[in-house]
Amino acid sequence: MERIIMHVDMDAFFASVEQLDHEEYRGKPLIVGGIGGRGVVSTCSYEARKFGVHSAMPTAKAMKLCPQGIFIQGNYPRYAEVSQQIFDIFDHYSPLIEPLSIDEAFLDLTGMERLMDSPRQYALKLKQEIKEKTGIVASVGIAPNKFLAKIASDLDKPDGLVIVNKDRVQEFLDPLPVRRIWGVGAKTAAILDRMRVKTIADLRKMSYEELHKTFGDKTAQHLFLLAQGIDERPVAPRGRAKSIGNETTFSEDLQSAEAALEVLLYLSVKVGWRLRQAGFKAKTVQLKLRQSDFSTFTRQKQLFEPSNFDNDIYTVIKELFENLNITRGIRLLGVSTTGFEEMESLSLFHDEKKDRLYQAIDDINSKFGNLGVTRGALLKK
């Protein structure tokens, strides 16, 4: 049976929610994210993208490119609320849904032909329902596998719908730059460029032996198969999370401890909020740091007591970062937590006052959209 995989991706999701909620932002360059001009852009409206602003760009650079932009911190509880509405809609369109992030997912439509006039009409119906119920615009890609569907959803944004037929896979892939392939970042792209491989068609002409000689077995196999449009991975619904975290890659390396700590603070607050929303407390906190030469460091530490409090997470992350003694050339930072306990599992050391405090903070953030009421206090520690 031929697989039918749909990838649905919300267009400029955070910015779209803000423009939906705030009439004064509509039609204007809106940039979400960044802390005091030293953080990074979470996302931005299409009006801002015309000035060259994009996700993961340092906010300071975004301000130079688009000084007339509207810069806001973001309302992450509100984004989660809209995301839940969207995923509730997905449930009516497929029994197999694989979330990729808060605003995108794969849906497996294989064997559902009797339930739809055509995949195109089914996708149009889904897009229309999302728009009517949430006000958000989605782009959709439909293809025989996940790799192709994800590329397709990105090709005609915003409000796109691209379908890749099984007999036209190479026609679809060949003109695209190799950077479109999952896992081809700046380093791999630079190597391929030196080999005069610029498009997927160029890559497809290379033998597996040539790729293996340059990249080794795992990467060679990955590139060789995807260049031919082969991807056998199933749509895999996710069970209980084994870890909760956030990370960000910078388009320009961070060059100071102060800038890095600002980002780590922001990530710690996001992770703490996600833990509380999931009803978990974490036993272990992990820092991830990658330098401009792609050297990657991970350090972790167990908490004295499982926690989902922002300050507990940030205190450990700050210690781990300072112990690394790396303050320049930072390409990526991440904060993650593992070893979950249910929030109801209390101990002798449980702090009910902190629970009430953070509940109040979450209520305020949900109402006013700051997701960071605790930051000022944390910075003083």
Side-chain angles (χ1 to χ4, degrees):
M1 182 182 295
E2 181 179 337
R3 291 201 297 165
I4 306 174
I5 308 300
M6 175 189 288
H7 180 256
V8 188
D9 190 12
M10 303 307 115
D11 296 330
F13 182 55
F14 294 172
S16 295
V17 174
E18 294 292 349
Q19 290 181 322
L20 178 69
D21 291 348
H22 301 277
E23 187 175 354
E24 65 271 25
Y25 295 162
R26 296 172 194 170
K28 297 179 181 178
L30 179 68
I31 296 97
V32 180
I35 303 170
R38 291 171 290 184
V40 295
V41 174
S42 293
T43 192
C44 60
S45 67
Y46 283 93
E47 293 85 358
R49 296 182 191 193
K50 294 176 182 177
F51 294 89
V53 180
H54 57 76
S55 299
M57 171 181 285
T59 309
K61 182 174 181 180
M63 288 177 170
K64 291 179 181 178
L65 289 173
C66 188
Q68 67 272 57
I70 301 171
F71 290 78
I72 63 172
Q73 194 62 62
N75 183 349
Y76 295 91
R78 170 65 173 145
Y79 308 152
E81 175 188 322
V82 178
S83 172
Q84 186 59 58
Q85 290 179 278
I86 291 166
F87 276 83
D88 287 344
I89 294 170
F90 289 163
D91 284 335
H92 295 104
Y93 283 79
S94 173
L96 287 176
I97 301 165
E98 180 181 343
L100 291 184
S101 68
I102 193 172
D103 66 337
E104 62 175 317
F106 287 114
L107 283 67
D108 194 336
L109 308 182
T110 306
M112 295 176 58
E113 289 84 354
R114 292 183 180 180
L115 300 178
M116 49 184 155
D117 294 333
S118 68
R120 177 177 292 277
Q121 290 302 316
Y122 205 61
L124 289 171
K125 182 181 176 183
L126 171 62
K127 282 162 57 70
Q128 182 179 356
E129 186 170 349
I130 292 172
K131 184 67 165 57
E132 289 177 351
K133 291 186 175 179
T134 70
I136 301 301
V137 174
S139 288
V140 173
I142 298 176
N145 61 50
K146 289 163 68 171
F147 167 61
L148 295 169
K150 187 162 179 23
I151 290 180
S153 70
D154 194 46
L155 285 184
D156 195 26
K157 282 180 167 287
D159 199 19
L161 172 54
V162 175
I163 298 177
V164 182
N165 295 317
K166 186 178 181 180
D167 57 351
R168 303 186 69 177
V169 168
Q170 292 306 156
E171 180 183 337
F172 170 76
L173 280 178
D174 281 356
L176 300 177
V178 287
R179 287 292 294 267
R180 287 282 185 180
I181 293 179
W182 277 341
V184 177
K187 188 175 181 179
T188 303
I191 295 172
L192 289 170
D193 189 62
R194 290 196 293 271
M195 299 167 70
R196 296 184 179 181
V197 175
K198 299 183 183 298
T199 67
I200 294 179
D202 296 334
L203 181 62
R204 190 163 57 90
K205 294 172 185 175
M206 297 188 69
S207 68
Y208 174 78
E209 288 72 22
E210 290 177 288
L211 292 170
H212 186 274
K213 183 178 179 180
T214 303
F215 296 104
D217 185 61
K218 186 177 179 180
T219 301
Q221 186 176 34
H222 176 83
L223 294 173
F224 184 75
L225 291 175
L226 292 188
Q228 301 175 71
I230 299 172
D231 178 15
E232 300 298 333
R233 294 169 305 152
V235 172
R238 296 179 183 175
R240 171 173 167 155
K242 295 181 180 179
S243 68
I244 288 178
N246 282 92
E247 65 179 43
T248 187
T249 301
F250 312 110
S251 56
E252 292 184 7
D253 299 339
L254 299 185
Q255 302 295 345
S256 72
E258 182 185 34
L261 286 171
E262 287 275 3
V263 174
L264 290 172
L265 173 62
Y266 174 67
L267 294 174
S268 297
V269 171
K270 286 184 70 175
V271 171
W273 179 80
R274 288 182 61 194
L275 284 169
R276 294 191 296 276
Q277 295 303 301
F280 295 149
K281 292 189 174 186
K283 297 178 182 177
T284 304
V285 176
Q286 183 180 82
L287 166 72
K288 180 179 178 182
L289 184 152
R290 178 171 296 149
Q291 294 185 281
S292 53
D293 63 357
F294 288 85
S295 300
T296 302
F297 302 86
T298 57
R299 298 290 187 271
Q300 67 180 36
K301 182 177 180 179
Q302 278 205 321
L303 297 169
F304 175 71
E305 176 72 12
S307 176
N308 54 22
F309 298 145
D310 304 349
N311 59 329
D312 292 344
I313 297 168
Y314 178 66
T315 298
V316 171
I317 285 295
K318 185 172 183 286
E319 177 188 340
L320 294 172
F321 172 74
E322 290 175 343
N323 288 343
L324 273 179
N325 198 29
I326 298 173
T327 59
R328 301 180 66 82
I330 298 172
R331 175 181 174 80
L332 174 148
L333 286 171
V335 173
S336 61
T337 55
T338 57
F340 299 144
E341 288 187 2
E342 304 292 339
M343 284 175 63
E344 289 76 12
S345 301
L346 304 181
S347 75
L348 292 172
F349 303 100
H350 180 67
D351 191 334
E352 291 187 7
K353 287 185 178 180
K354 272 192 176 182
D355 265 346
R356 290 195 296 271
L357 170 64
Y358 276 90
Q359 183 60 57
I361 288 170
D362 289 342
D363 289 344
I364 292 170
N365 286 332
S366 294
K367 185 174 182 181
F368 297 106
N370 189 27
L371 192 61
V373 170
T374 58
R375 287 191 188 119
L378 290 176
L379 283 170
K380 296 174 184 177
K381 289 185 177 292

